[in-house]
């Protein structure tokens, strides 16, 4: 193993991409750094973030960003698809790194979940974290059933669903 390989191994998050959430993962210094990058509005509000915000959602969103970054999805020509995306941070964060983010959810028929509010179809900016810099022109919000996606195969460089798939039936 070369010195460069040893160094790069040291600079990686110490747990797998395909794993279950374990509380101690929030203690990994590089993962903590990633969490703080993805959720800067929480860092501003709570300087010790991610303490007391060790949630499945923050973990899943950060794991998504980590995988997209490490596997070359986050690039200026990429289009990505969020399935059951609601108004989660992944959508807003990714607009800074890819050409277009397609957010799909049952927005138009939803009456119970604030996370997938109908207002996303009209003005997604009202759901973006305050003071978070993102590119509204790169976000396309569409009412669409996750079980009947209306896209051709191979349309996206990456597809994500953070904390939603268990609701698909």
């Amino acid at each position: 193993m070369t010195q460069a390989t040893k160094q790069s191994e040291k600079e990686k998050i110490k747990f797998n991409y395909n794993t279950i959430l374990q509380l101690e993962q929030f203690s990994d210094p590089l993962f903590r750094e990633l969490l703080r990058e993805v959720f800067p509005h929480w860092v501003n509000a709570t300087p010790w973030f991610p303490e007391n915000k060790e949630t499945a959602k923050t973990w899943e969103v950060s794991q998504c960003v980590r995988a997209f970054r490490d596997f070359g999805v986050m690039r200026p020509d990429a289009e990505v698809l969020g399935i059951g995306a609601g108004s989660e941070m992944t959508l807003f964060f990714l607009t800074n790194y890819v050409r277009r983010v397609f957010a799909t959810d049952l927005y138009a028929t939803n009456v119970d979940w604030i996370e997938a509010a109908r207002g996303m179809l009209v003005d997604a900016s009202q759901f973006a974290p305050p003071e978070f810099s993102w590119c509204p022109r790169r976000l396309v919000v569409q009412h669409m059933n996750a079980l009947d996606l209306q896209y051709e195969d191979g349309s996206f460089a990456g597809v994500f669903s953070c904390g939603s798939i268990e609701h698909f039936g």
Side-chain angles (χ1 to χ4, degrees), residues 33-169:
E33 190 177 301
L34 176 61
L35 284 157
R36 293 174 67 83
E37 178 187 350
V38 174
F39 297 94
H41 55 294
W42 284 351
V43 174
N44 292 337
T46 312
W48 53 86
F49 177 81
E51 282 92 14
N52 300 318
K53 291 279 190 185
E54 296 98 344
T55 67
K57 185 60 98 173
T58 58
W59 183 85
E60 289 172 349
V61 169
S62 296
Q63 278 285 82
C64 172
V65 169
R66 173 187 175 207
F68 277 10
R69 182 175 286 160
D70 291 355
F71 292 105
V73 173
M74 287 175 54
R75 59 181 198 272
D77 67 327
E79 293 190 337
V80 298
L81 172 64
I83 302 173
S87 58
E88 69 187 34
M89 188 63 192
T90 323
L91 302 171
F92 303 106
F93 183 84
L94 289 173
T95 65
N96 292 313
Y97 299 94
V98 300
R99 179 172 35 155
R100 197 156 297 114
V101 178
F102 289 82
T104 63
D105 211 322
L106 298 176
Y107 297 109
T109 56
N110 176 41
V111 292
D112 296 326
W113 289 358
I114 188 70
E115 294 87 0
R118 293 179 193 173
M120 278 289 288
L121 291 168
V122 179
D123 180 14
S125 67
Q126 64 184 317
F127 299 93
E131 302 175 21
F132 182 79
S133 179
W134 64 290
C135 300
R137 294 177 319 279
R138 295 182 183 175
L139 179 61
V140 178
V141 180
Q142 298 175 303
H143 174 85
M144 195 174 300
N145 187 328
L147 301 177
D148 187 25
L149 296 173
Q150 301 294 308
Y151 300 108
E152 292 183 29
D153 290 350
S155 295
F156 299 99
V159 178
F160 64 93
S161 182
C162 298
S164 301
I165 203 163
E166 67 271 20
H167 301 286
F168 295 171

